[in-house]
Amino acid sequence: IGNYSRGAKFHSLQDQIDASLVTCTDRYFKNISGIDFCRIDFKSHSLEAYKAGIFKILEVNGAKSEPLHTYDRRHNFWDNVKTIIRHWKIMASIVSYRKKHNSYVFPSTRTGLKSLFAIKKVTKSI
């Protein structure tokens, strides 16, 4: 499991994304309900093995998790800024869609603040 602050190196394979990779990824994760946008960290020996279904899911990260390919040294600062902007625009479009179609009940401000303070309390004690 990679940890950038402990010396892990991340390598982007975005240049290898093709229709077959998108199709098999869609097939694997189509049946997961309640997740519109996330980052899934998985381990596989190769893209071919992944496409054949030979992989392990290490972690499912929420929508706010950063795209890890931005840590690849081949990506410059401005490429990464564009990626983060695109990432946030996708999230905003999902929120807009859900608001428009009433497909999700958003928590009240009070509930959100309670959650925020509870999380802060837990993280301070760690």
Side-chain angles (χ1 to χ4, degrees), residues 79-90:
D79 289 337
N80 292 340
V81 168
K82 289 176 191 174
T83 296
I84 298 299
I85 289 170
R86 181 173 176 265
H87 183 86
W88 282 89
K89 283 182 176 180
I90 291 169

Side-chain angles (χ1 to χ4, degrees), residues 2-55:
N3 186 321
Y4 188 73
S5 66
R6 295 189 180 207
K9 293 181 181 176
F10 298 94
H11 304 282
S12 175
L13 297 177
Q14 285 198 302
D15 58 327
Q16 296 185 38
I17 296 173
D18 60 12
S20 67
L21 185 63
V22 172
T23 300
C24 74
T25 301
D26 187 50
R27 184 178 67 239
Y28 295 147
F29 300 105
K30 188 175 248 175
N31 296 322
I32 300 174
S33 63
I35 297 178
D36 293 313
F37 187 68
C38 66
R39 186 188 80 221
I40 298 174
D41 298 343
F42 67 90
K43 183 176 183 176
S44 185
H45 292 288
S46 66
L47 285 176
E48 291 72 28
Y50 172 78
K51 290 176 184 180
I54 305 167
F55 65 94

Side-chain angles (χ1 to χ4, degrees), residues 107-122:
S108 68
T109 301
R110 182 181 184 147
T111 301
L113 288 173
K114 278 184 174 181
S115 296
L116 174 66
F117 292 130
I119 291 168
K120 283 189 170 201
K121 185 177 180 181
V122 169

